[in-house]
Amino acid sequence: MAIDTPKSLRQMVIYQVYNRNHNASGTFNELIEDLDRIKNLGVDILYLLPIHPIGQKDKKGELGCPYSIQNYREVNPEYGTLDDFKRLIEATHEHGMKLMIDVVFNHTSRDSHLLNTHPEWFYKNEDGNFANRVGDWSDITDLDYSKGEELWAELLDTLEYWASLGVDGYRCDVASLVPIEFWVRARKEIAKINPNFIWLAESVHIGFVNYIRSLGYEAASDSEVYQAFDICYDYDVFEEYQGYLRGKNSLNAYIDRVAMQEGIYPDNYVKLRCLENHDQDRAATLIPNIDQLFTWTAFTYLQKGTTMIYAGQEALDTNRPSLFDIDKVNWSRYNEHGLADYMKQLSELKHDAIMAEGFYRIQTGDVADTVILSYETSYKTRVAIFNFSSKSGVVSIEIADGIYKDCLTNKEVVVQDGKVQLDVRAIVFDIAK
């Protein structure tokens, strides 16, 4: 793991925005107008899907995919101008947030500036054609990092360019497929511009790592990716999370894998905790029961790691916007059930130092579909109980009998004979020492 990764990243909340479909105009300027609301959710980092011009050759849908990039050094005119983007950076900072952008260095579009000027930097298949190594990404072609120093220098210079403009972090697309040596070098170079720069890796599913390796290509595990990155996706447990919601595996199978992370990653590891993102189904679709959705939302905030919410999640949107077309977020349910207000409450708990410093434990309860997690320090212990079935009952807990106060509702939490009455939503309480 990057030895200088601060544990305080576990206290952060990231807000993911796909600019094209976020608001009416899909522009940076209209996004600036939304910063007050975003900040009020308790957000620390605004993360934008790729902001660059989109390739037109073999494009998908009406407008093409933002991950098929035509020029790394330019801004997509759909969103505005470079000056508009600079104003967004400034406004984000004025709101006390950092700004992170997507970096897509595994591939470019099939009509990219780099492909036109340096075709020798790209991968070719056995037929001698430009191609991608895996997947159905028919609108892109892969870079080939074995092609020498000039390619590396160009990409590093690109990273330095955006960091010099004031960008505070990079979310790196399929980071596991780009050589770790490149990312390690990039981290060192960017630290000269901003020593507090944040590196988020889209690390990939274990099955995908094995598949890529079976084809004879390199793919890094999360443990390898942590050499250069501060935060990794939790795709190493995501299949079990969705499997539980879809009835394919037990809650125990999921939580056992989450607990395993404590023993296989470095002490200062940070995982990204989310219920959804632009590649996954909306949480409101997977979890239609509102009490259970609130419980799962609390779980993403109170787990050990950085929390990410995808714009529209707070509005109970059930439609995952298309990457390739105009497909706007539905904000009509924003005030329904108060999920946005709940997220703000949870962010206040997230910002507590115990979320970074506390010794963390997580386990399933002795009642079906319950999870208990805790953080322990010398000054207090935080306990959270999650009832994913929303059924009534009592769960055993290794806490001294007494009356405590729920941090979310201010209701009494009574521990008697080592048992607690379950609620339909999460219970969170602190025990002073």
Side-chain angles (χ1 to χ4, degrees):
M1 177 144 191
I3 60 173
D4 56 347
T5 293
K7 292 182 180 180
S8 58
L9 289 174
R10 296 171 182 162
Q11 299 170 252
M12 300 295 168
V13 177
I14 298 176
Y15 189 83
Q16 180 186 16
V17 168
Y18 181 22
N19 219 94
R20 173 189 284 167
N21 287 320
H22 184 73
N23 48 42
S25 66
T27 61
F28 295 134
N29 287 334
E30 191 171 356
L31 180 57
I32 290 172
E33 297 174 7
D34 198 26
L35 292 180
D36 281 343
R37 183 193 65 83
I38 293 171
K39 177 62 178 179
N40 193 52
L41 285 172
V43 171
D44 304 287
I45 303 167
L46 177 67
Y47 151 46
L48 306 181
L49 267 67
I51 61 169
H52 311 296
I54 294 171
Q56 297 302 296
K57 184 177 181 181
D58 298 328
K59 70 179 180 182
K60 294 184 177 182
E62 290 291 324
L63 298 174
C65 178
Y67 289 92
S68 178
I69 293 174
Q70 198 275 329
N71 194 318
Y72 292 131
R73 302 291 185 101
E74 296 180 355
V75 166
N76 187 342
E78 282 185 69
Y79 302 158
T81 65
L82 179 61
D83 285 339
D84 293 335
F85 180 64
K86 290 178 180 178
R87 281 192 289 272
L88 175 60
I89 296 174
E90 182 179 1
T92 302
H93 291 166
E94 288 173 351
H95 280 77
M97 297 184 290
K98 298 179 182 295
L99 189 136
M100 175 183 287
I101 63 172
D102 231 315
V103 166
V104 188
F105 277 2
N106 178 67
H107 52 261
T108 74
S109 71
R110 296 192 169 188
D111 55 359
S112 71
H113 171 72
L114 288 186
L115 185 61
N116 290 333
T117 56
H118 290 282
E120 70 277 11
W121 290 351
F122 287 79
Y123 166 80
K124 289 184 179 180
N125 60 21
E126 294 179 351
D127 297 325
N129 299 319
F130 294 115
N132 52 295
R133 294 173 179 84
V134 296
D136 62 349
W137 303 331
S138 59
D139 55 338
I140 57 93
T141 190
D142 286 1
L143 288 159
D144 185 343
Y145 281 78
S146 70
K147 297 301 183 180
E149 173 61 26
E150 288 187 0
L151 167 61
W152 286 45
E154 169 65 24
L155 297 179
L156 290 168
D157 194 53
T158 298
L159 295 175
E160 292 169 5
Y161 170 72
W162 293 107
S164 296
L165 291 183
V167 169
D168 303 288
Y170 293 134
R171 178 270 188 189
C172 299
D173 189 62
V174 287
S176 306
L177 303 191
V178 174
I180 293 300
E181 295 79 8
F182 174 82
W183 295 127
V184 169
R185 183 171 163 186
R187 183 185 181 94
K188 290 179 180 177
E189 294 302 316
I190 299 302
K192 298 173 184 177
I193 299 171
N194 180 355
N196 298 312
F197 207 80
I198 301 170
W199 291 86
L200 166 61
E202 187 201 22
S203 49
V204 298
H205 300 267
I206 295 171
F208 191 59
V209 170
N210 289 329
Y211 170 65
I212 296 298
R213 290 175 176 177
S214 75
L215 298 176
Y217 304 122
E218 292 185 7
S221 66
D222 282 21
S223 295
E224 294 170 299
V225 170
Y226 272 130
Q227 295 176 61
F229 286 86
D230 300 304
I231 311 169
C232 283
Y233 271 49
D234 68 347
Y235 279 159
D236 55 332
V237 301
F238 209 79
E239 183 176 347
E240 285 75 18
Y241 150 67
Q242 289 193 333
Y244 168 68
L245 293 177
R246 292 178 168 134
K248 295 182 179 180
N249 56 256
S250 67
L251 182 62
N252 281 39
Y254 169 51
I255 298 304
D256 284 349
R257 289 194 66 85
V258 173
M260 188 185 298
Q261 293 173 336
E262 287 297 288
I264 62 175
Y265 299 131
D267 179 63
N268 63 336
Y269 86 95
V270 185
K271 273 287 180 179
L272 187 72
R273 308 298 186 182
C274 63
L275 297 182
E276 62 178 63
N277 58 54
H278 69 277
D279 283 325
Q280 306 296 333
D281 290 336
R282 288 286 196 181
T285 300
L286 285 171
I287 314 166
N289 179 291
I290 192 64
D291 289 320
Q292 292 175 9
L293 182 58
F294 268 68
T295 301
W296 277 103
T297 300
F299 188 60
T300 60
Y301 278 79
L302 289 160
Q303 272 196 87
K304 184 177 181 177
T306 303
T307 298
M308 186 174 78
I309 54 179
Y310 185 28
Q313 182 178 340
E314 70 273 39
L316 304 170
D317 194 1
T318 56
N319 174 55
R320 172 160 57 102
S322 166
L323 285 178
F324 320 127
D325 306 286
I326 297 295
D327 188 14
K328 300 293 185 180
V329 172
N330 179 3
W331 296 104
S332 64
R333 299 178 66 194
Y334 187 79
N335 293 316
E336 190 175 324
H337 298 293
L339 185 58
D341 290 338
Y342 192 61
M343 287 177 166
K344 182 179 180 181
Q345 267 190 295
L346 291 166
S347 72
E348 293 170 359
L349 294 178
K350 189 72 173 175
H351 293 149
D352 190 324
I354 197 172
M355 302 300 292
E357 300 169 358
F359 182 78
Y360 178 72
R361 295 182 177 90
I362 184 170
Q363 62 186 24
T364 51
D366 60 353
V367 176
D369 300 302
T370 59
V371 171
I372 302 170
L373 63 79
S374 64
Y375 296 85
E376 186 173 356
T377 67
S378 60
Y379 55 90
K380 74 175 177 181
T381 298
R382 170 165 292 169
V383 178
I385 303 170
F386 305 92
N387 177 12
F388 292 119
S389 71
S390 299
K391 296 177 182 178
S392 61
V394 293
V395 65
S396 299
I397 187 168
E398 295 180 5
I399 295 293
D401 284 5
I403 299 176
Y404 306 96
K405 186 175 73 171
D406 192 314
C407 298
L408 294 169
T409 65
N410 288 322
K411 294 179 181 178
E412 289 186 346
V413 179
V414 179
V415 180
Q416 185 174 354
D417 298 328
K419 294 184 180 296
V420 175
Q421 181 70 43
L422 293 169
D423 197 341
V424 293
R425 296 188 181 177
I427 299 170
V428 186
F429 58 97
D430 292 341
I431 306 167
K433 293 186 177 180

